[in-house]
Amino acid sequence: MSKALEGVRILDFTHVQSGPTCTQLLAWFGADVIKVEKAGEGDATRGQLRDIPDADSLYFTMLNHNKRSITLDTKNPKGKEVLVTLIKQCDVMVENFAPGALDRMGFSWERIQEINPRIILASVKGFGPGPYVDCKVYENVAQCAGGAASTTGFDDGPPMVTGAQIGDSGTGLHLALGIVTALFQREKTGRGQKVLAAMQDAVLNLCRVKLRDQQRLERTGELKEYPQYPEIGFGEAVPRAGNSSGGGQPGSILKCKGWQKDPNAYIYFITQAAVWPAICKVIDEEGWITDPHFATPTARLPHLKMIFDRIEEWTKTKTKFEAMDILNKFDIPCGPILSMKEIAEDESLRATGTVVEVEHPTRGKYLTVGNPIKLSDSPTDVTRSPLLGEHTVEVMAQMGYNDEQIAQLRAERVI
């Protein structure tokens, strides 16, 4: 089968995580992604958090599958000439440089468009236009500026960042959608355009339910689904809600059998209204089905803590997987707290390609995530990340350079 983005050529000037997440996803869908790196150094993550000396780190390998790597000195005048050639022959250029870096290289949007009017220039930046547009941003900064940290954690503790990389990888995913959308529009207009994904914006998009709750709080003065209700008063801003869902279907993380020794012996349990009678039967509280204090979702709101305490008495008698088996029979929404070790060893995730094992020439086999998006007519084959400059000669030849020209550029350390 052909790949969905087969024939699309991406010029990849990204590094670290946000940009590489975007271009890796496009590569998984079949785009030819040419990663441009500095000779002798390459992407900074090649050497970060190394677990094997002199081998590319897992940080790099897990973000750069299915790509080709070339080295190029873009400060050298001849390197700039090579870059012009690349821009002419690529459909998309992706970058996550510091603000203004492309302009300083001599490749403003106007210059890039002059070289190739059909090209799409896609950028990750920390902030969009505004007072912080020139600020450098990393994952945790984005989580804080996008509203995630202020609404994560427990009410009696400090703001918390999440282990999910919603700032970097989350923005990369948003940018990939923007690129595909721009490519689709180009089919109609014949013109390229700029695509911008700001990390603050992407995090906020993922926190939209909290922006919803901010407006509800301003109108009503309280959020009845939050654990603070009804004992603790609400302030002006959405508070941290612990492990409560804060949504229309109250949920919480509950201890399971073995929790004293296993930090992940927990289950997430949702008291969905539709299965409330089944929940009452499972925990042997059938009287709650008709009790006016518990019979309706609204009536239950002031008693959520007591309800979850009672459910936890039941979950503590079962392992998280035993509880899952019982609850799923009644369509009660729940999910085990899975450790990274459990996920790495999950055969079902390997069978679907969500977790894959890859062979690498210097580090051997390693485990990585696969494409989270499955297309029925475009399967994803996860191939290893490239060695630094591994495809320089191959790409240069495809761009029209002959052997003598390539040798000369190498001799002058342009490539």
Side-chain angles (χ1 to χ4, degrees), residues 9-14 22 83 87 90-97 101-103 105 107-113 116-125 175 178-179 182-183 186 191-197:
R9 183 171 283 166
I10 311 288
L11 186 56
D12 183 1
F13 269 97
T14 70
C22 167
L83 179 52
I87 291 173
C90 286
D91 298 285
V92 183
M93 180 175 178
V94 190
E95 61 90 18
N96 61 340
F97 293 127
L102 270 183
D103 289 348
M105 284 171 57
F107 289 89
S108 64
W109 166 237
E110 291 73 22
R111 173 63 178 138
I112 291 170
Q113 206 172 29
N116 182 356
R118 287 176 54 82
I119 200 166
I120 291 152
L121 174 61
S123 304
V124 171
K125 292 293 176 275
L175 187 66
I179 289 170
L183 284 169
R186 192 181 69 177
R191 300 192 308 275
Q193 62 182 299
K194 288 196 293 183
V195 178
L196 170 66

Side-chain angles (χ1 to χ4, degrees), residues 55-131:
D56 287 334
S57 71
L58 286 167
Y59 196 0
F60 176 84
T61 57
M62 293 175 71
L63 284 162
N64 291 281
H65 294 109
N66 296 59
K67 303 178 185 180
R68 297 194 290 171
S69 170
I70 68 170
T71 54
L72 180 65
D73 182 0
T74 57
K75 294 181 180 179
N76 186 301
K78 290 188 177 180
K80 293 183 187 296
E81 292 176 9
V82 173
L83 179 52
V84 168
T85 302
L86 287 165
I87 291 173
K88 284 180 179 178
Q89 299 189 41
C90 286
D91 298 285
V92 183
M93 180 175 178
V94 190
E95 61 90 18
N96 61 340
F97 293 127
L102 270 183
D103 289 348
R104 291 191 292 273
M105 284 171 57
F107 289 89
S108 64
W109 166 237
E110 291 73 22
R111 173 63 178 138
I112 291 170
Q113 206 172 29
E114 180 183 295
I115 297 167
N116 182 356
R118 287 176 54 82
I119 200 166
I120 291 152
L121 174 61
S123 304
V124 171
K125 292 293 176 275
F127 294 94

